[in-house]
Amino acid sequence: MDLGWVSIALLYCCILLICIPSCAAELSPNSSGLERPSSDPAIEQFEWQRRQMVEYQLRDRGVKDERVLAAMSKVPRHQFVDSSWRDLAYRDGPLPIGHNQTISQPYIVAYMTEAAEISPDAKVLEIGTGCGYQAAVLGELAKEVYSIEIIPQLADSARQILSKLGYENIEVKTGDGYQGWAENAPYDAIIVTAAPKHIPQSLIDQLAINGKMVIPVGTWYQDLVVLTKTQDRIVEERTLAVRFVPMRRKFLQ
Ligand code: SAH
């Protein structure tokens, strides 16, 4: 065979070998830089931990509402905590979120959310945005979520992560939860994630008829109270013994 033809054939093969992998890389949807590959081991690990959390910490302990379980299967809890705590994000306990505050144990988030009986067209108020995790769970379930946080830095970072994750139905304001958020009242549900000594009257006033409020009440010892407002009365049911950070009255800078 003519040596000239052999070298042309070899050169052609080399060009093919170099081009095919780079074309394949360009065509792959995961190589665009916009999306992380679904086979990313870190993401898979968190998804797996989240499924374990839902099955063993929530469903096995009696959380039944499939909408709540689905919401908690979806919200990436690890993205709401500092990167140094990420590996513990799905463990069965609270976690620090800075400024001496904590994100509640997953079971308590699920329990409170289930007790609030949130329908898809509900308007919900949360007191104590913290890192924004509970607000995101509510955002999966309700039509509109309003959340108040007294520490401005926490409110800012919660706003950032919620917007990064695409929650357009959640509004966070820096303010004092004792006043509630009268402009958007009445609320079908109110979830309070810091403990006052007594249930604030303004929050009862801002709850809709047939609405539910879930609120830890007390100082050192606290009870989780599920309050139902009917046309003519307020019914309070004391459920779990819980431990939340106190609900503060003054702004902290
Ligand atoms: N729900 C939060 C955790 C809440 S920790 C989450 O998912 O991360 C309790 C939060 O309540 C803290 O961030 C604390 O700063 C806030 N807080 C305490 N007193 C408050 C008040 N009077 N008004 C609004 N927020 C308050």
Side-chain angles (χ1 to χ4, degrees):
M1 194 195 273
D2 184 323
L3 262 182
W5 281 108
V6 172
S7 34
I8 289 172
L10 276 174
L11 186 66
Y12 186 67
C13 286
C14 286
I15 290 171
L16 279 182
L17 280 173
I18 292 166
C19 285
I20 286 174
S22 62
C23 291
E26 265 167 37
L27 290 173
S28 156
N30 288 331
S31 64
S32 63
L34 295 173
E35 253 181 77
R36 293 180 75 177
S38 60
S39 58
D40 182 323
I43 291 183
E44 271 195 356
Q45 176 66 11
F46 286 130
E47 277 173 8
W48 182 80
Q49 288 180 15
R50 199 151 61 234
R51 278 201 296 276
Q52 303 279 309
M53 173 193 87
V54 167
E55 292 310 313
Y56 301 122
Q57 296 178 37
L58 311 184
R59 203 190 288 279
D60 277 4
R61 284 193 195 144
V63 179
K64 291 190 181 64
D65 187 329
E66 288 298 335
R67 291 185 68 238
V68 173
L69 294 167
M72 294 197 50
S73 303
K74 191 170 167 200
V75 179
R77 185 170 159 98
H78 63 279
Q79 296 208 29
F80 289 84
V81 294
D82 184 79
S83 54
S84 55
W85 291 102
R86 239 163 227 185
D87 289 342
L88 298 175
Y90 297 99
R91 74 168 192 175
D92 189 13
L95 282 179
I97 54 171
H99 305 271
N100 292 324
Q101 307 301 314
T102 53
I103 176 177
S104 300
Q105 177 189 10
Y107 174 67
I108 296 295
V109 174
Y111 186 96
M112 292 176 80
T113 311
E114 184 172 56
E117 296 179 7
I118 292 159
S119 65
D121 57 356
K123 197 199 289 184
V124 182
L125 175 67
E126 180 196 23
I127 307 297
T129 318
C131 67
Y133 175 70
Q134 169 82 73
V137 172
L138 296 171
E140 292 288 336
L141 297 167
K143 188 169 172 214
E144 292 166 48
V145 178
Y146 297 90
S147 186
I148 308 177
E149 170 55 54
I150 204 164
I151 300 177
Q153 294 90 329
L154 284 177
D156 287 347
S157 53
R159 250 182 239 115
Q160 271 175 31
I161 180 69
L162 290 167
S163 124
K164 186 179 149 202
L165 292 174
Y167 288 101
E168 288 175 0
N169 60 342
I170 305 174
E171 228 178 285
V172 175
K173 95 167 171 184
T174 306
D176 182 357
Y178 279 99
Q179 315 303 319
W181 195 333
E183 292 90 324
N184 307 304
Y187 300 97
D188 304 296
I190 299 181
I191 288 194
V192 184
T193 62
K197 283 186 192 150
H198 307 285
I199 302 179
Q201 185 58 42
S202 56
L203 297 184
I204 298 177
D205 295 343
Q206 290 175 27
L207 189 63
I209 303 296
N210 297 324
K212 297 254 180 204
M213 181 176 349
V214 186
I215 178 167
V217 185
T219 48
W220 186 257
Y221 297 101
Q222 302 159 6
D223 288 321
L224 193 64
V225 174
V226 179
L227 178 153
T228 310
K229 183 175 180 176
T230 68
Q231 196 64 256
D232 46 12
R233 64 196 184 117
I234 304 292
V235 180
E236 282 180 32
E237 188 196 345
R238 286 179 182 258
T239 58
L240 306 179
V242 285
R243 186 105 182 82
F244 278 78
V245 295
M247 192 161 157
R248 296 154 190 253
R249 284 198 172 270
K250 292 220 164 65
F251 274 85
L252 296 175
Q253 289 300 328

